[in-house]
C-alpha cells in the first residue's frame, strides 16, 4: 500500500523533470545555442599566404556569437590571400583577407593608401633585433652641424621625425608569431606617401635610428629635438650676426678743365681831348 501511494508523487516528479528539460531546451534555442557553420583554419596560416582547401573547414559556431565578417561558404575563400596571421581554430574573417585577385607576398599586406619602404639598419639602429613584424616604432634622425651660405653653422640636432610606424618585415621575414629578437640588416616599414618622402630625405642628410614604442600608446612625442647645448646643459648658442656689407665707394666725376680766357689785346695809347671831343691816340 505504501508503494502504491508513492506512485502519484513519482509521476508528478517525472512530469516536472520532463517539463524542465523542455523549457531549458526552448530557452537555449532562443539564446542561439543552435549554431551556424563558419569557415575556420585547420592549421596556422602566416601573413601573406594563399589559402589552400586543406587549411580550411566549416565548424559549428553559436549564432549569437558569430564574429562580423565570418565566411560561411568555403568557395568564397578559394585563392584568397591573408593580410594577417590566422591561428588554428580561428574563424577566417573578411577583415583579415586581401581583396580578391590580390597576388601573394608582402604587397598583399600593405594597407590601402600606404607604401612599403625598406631602410638599412644594424644591431643598434634596429633596437637590438626587438623591432619585429607587427611592432610600432618611431624614427629618429641625427643631423651633424653644417656650415650655411652666410658663414654661420647650423647646430647638430637629434629629432623624432616619424611616429608610430608599423614594421611589416625584418629582412625577408614577415611572420608576426615569432617573438625572438633577430638582428638583421634591413627593416621594411609601412608609410604614407608623404612619410616616404620625409624618410627618404632624412636618411640622405643624417643618421637614422629606430625607437621601439608601446603597441597601444597613441600619444605623440611633441619634442623640440635635442641639441648639444640641451644635452650638456649649456646656454643655447645664438647665431652670429650676418656681416654688414661695406658701402660701395662713391666715384666722383673728374672736374671739367677751365679754359683760360684769352688775354685782351694790349693797347698802348692815350686819350686826346680837344675841347668837347675826346679821341684815343695810339702809338705804333
Amino acid at each position: 500500500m505504501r508503494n502504491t501511494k508513492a506512485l502519484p508523487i513519482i509521476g508528478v516528479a517525472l512530469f516536472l523533470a520532463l517539463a524542465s528539460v523542455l523549457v531549458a531546451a526552448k530557452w537555449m534555442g532562443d539564446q542561439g545555442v543552435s549554431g551556424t557553420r563558419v569557415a575556420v583554419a585547420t592549421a596556422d596560416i602566416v601573413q601573406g599566404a594563399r589559402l589552400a582547401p586543406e587549411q580550411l573547414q566549416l565548424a559549428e559556431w553559436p549564432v549569437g556569437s558569430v564574429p562580423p565578417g565570418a565566411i560561411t561558404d568555403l568557395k568564397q575563400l578559394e585563392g584568397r590571400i591573408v593580410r594577417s596571421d590566422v591561428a588554428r581554430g580561428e574563424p577566417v574573417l573578411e577583415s583579415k583577407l586581401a581583396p580578391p585577385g590580390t597576388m601573394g607576398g608582402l604587397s598583399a599586406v600593405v594597407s590601402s593608401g600606404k607604401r612599403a619602404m625598406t631602410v638599412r639598419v644594424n644591431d643598434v639602429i634596429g633596437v637590438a633585433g626587438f623591432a619585429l613584424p607587427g611592432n610600432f616604432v618611431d624614427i629618429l634622425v641625427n643631423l651633424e652641424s653644417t656650415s650655411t651660405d652666410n658663414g654661420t653653422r647650423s647646430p647638430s640636432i637629434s629629432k623624432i621625425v616619424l611616429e608610430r610606424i608599423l614594421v611589416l618585415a625584418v629582412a625577408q621575414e614577415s611572420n608576426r608569431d615569432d617573438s625572438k629578437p633577430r638582428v638583421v640588416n634591413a627593416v621594411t616599414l609601412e608609410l604614407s606617401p608623404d612619410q616616404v618622402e620625409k624618410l627618404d630625405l632624412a636618411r640622405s642628410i643624417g643618421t637614422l635610428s629606430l625607437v621601439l614604442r608601446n603597441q597601444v600608446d597613441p600619444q605623440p612625442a611633441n619634442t623640440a629635438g635635442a641639441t648639444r647645448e640641451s644635452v650638456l646643459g649649456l646656454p643655447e648658442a645664438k647665431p652670429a650676426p650676418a656681416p654688414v656689407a661695406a658701402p660701395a665707394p662713391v666715384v666722383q666725376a673728374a672736374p671739367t678743365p677751365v679754359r683760360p680766357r684769352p688775354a685782351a689785346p694790349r693797347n698802348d695809347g692815350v686819350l686826346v681831348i680837344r675841347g668837347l671831343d675826346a679821341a684815343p691816340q695810339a702809338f705804333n
Side-chain angles (χ1 to χ4, degrees), residues 40-100:
V40 298
T42 59
D44 293 338
I45 305 174
V46 298
Q47 179 188 51
R50 186 181 299 275
L51 293 176
E54 59 271 15
Q55 296 175 319
L56 305 167
Q57 70 176 10
L58 292 177
E60 293 290 336
W61 206 269
V63 175
S65 60
V66 174
I71 307 298
T72 58
D73 187 2
L74 294 180
K75 293 183 179 180
Q76 298 179 10
L77 299 176
E78 293 180 357
R80 298 290 296 273
I81 305 296
V82 292
R83 297 183 64 251
S84 58
D85 296 340
V86 180
R88 180 179 180 180
E90 181 182 354
V92 181
L93 307 179
E94 186 65 34
S95 59
K96 291 193 173 185
L97 300 175

Side-chain angles (χ1 to χ4, degrees), residues 4-277:
T4 305
K5 292 180 179 180
L7 290 177
I9 298 176
I10 296 174
V12 172
L14 292 175
F15 175 78
L16 293 176
L18 180 61
S20 298
V21 171
L22 293 176
V23 171
K26 184 178 184 303
W27 180 83
M28 292 176 66
D30 294 340
Q31 294 299 314
V33 175
S34 58
T36 184
R37 294 167 65 83
V38 300
V40 298
T42 59
D44 293 338
I45 305 174
V46 298
Q47 179 188 51
R50 186 181 299 275
L51 293 176
E54 59 271 15
Q55 296 175 319
L56 305 167
Q57 70 176 10
L58 292 177
E60 293 290 336
W61 206 269
V63 175
S65 60
V66 174
I71 307 298
T72 58
D73 187 2
L74 294 180
K75 293 183 179 180
Q76 298 179 10
L77 299 176
E78 293 180 357
R80 298 290 296 273
I81 305 296
V82 292
R83 297 183 64 251
S84 58
D85 296 340
V86 180
R88 180 179 180 180
E90 181 182 354
V92 181
L93 307 179
E94 186 65 34
S95 59
K96 291 193 173 185
L97 300 175
T102 303
M103 301 298 294
L106 187 62
S107 62
V109 305
V110 179
S111 302
S112 177
K114 298 285 188 175
R115 306 291 187 270
M117 183 176 182
T118 301
V119 295
R120 185 178 298 276
V121 297
N122 54 33
D123 56 342
V124 176
I125 297 175
V127 202
F130 284 98
L132 300 174
N135 294 157
F136 289 95
V137 297
D138 292 346
I139 299 177
L140 196 73
V141 62
N142 183 281
L143 301 179
E144 296 294 337
S145 177
T146 56
S147 299
T148 59
D149 295 338
N150 57 7
T152 61
R153 294 188 64 84
S154 62
S156 58
I157 186 172
S158 183
K159 181 75 172 67
I160 295 176
V161 293
L162 295 174
E163 298 186 59
R164 197 170 170 77
I165 303 301
L166 176 64
V167 178
L168 292 178
V170 292
Q172 284 77 39
E173 297 292 334
S174 60
N175 186 8
R176 301 190 181 188
D177 290 338
D178 190 6
S179 59
K180 183 179 179 181
R182 285 176 291 173
V183 177
V184 296
N185 59 3
V187 173
T188 301
L189 308 171
E190 185 181 70
L191 305 156
S192 62
D194 59 326
Q195 290 173 334
V196 169
E197 296 171 347
K198 184 179 293 186
L199 179 58
D200 185 60
L201 178 61
R203 70 179 179 180
S204 66
I205 62 177
T207 304
L208 298 181
S209 297
L210 303 184
V211 184
L212 191 65
R213 65 179 297 157
N214 190 290
Q215 292 287 87
V216 295
D217 180 17
Q219 297 298 326
N222 293 329
T223 62
T227 62
R228 178 177 177 273
E229 287 75 15
S230 64
V231 171
L232 300 179
L234 302 175
E236 293 291 336
K238 296 182 179 180
V244 179
V250 178
V251 179
Q252 296 182 351
T256 304
V258 178
R259 296 180 180 179
R261 294 182 179 181
R266 185 176 178 180
N267 186 12
D268 296 331
V270 296
L271 182 65
V272 179
I273 300 174
R274 291 187 181 93
L276 296 178
D277 297 330

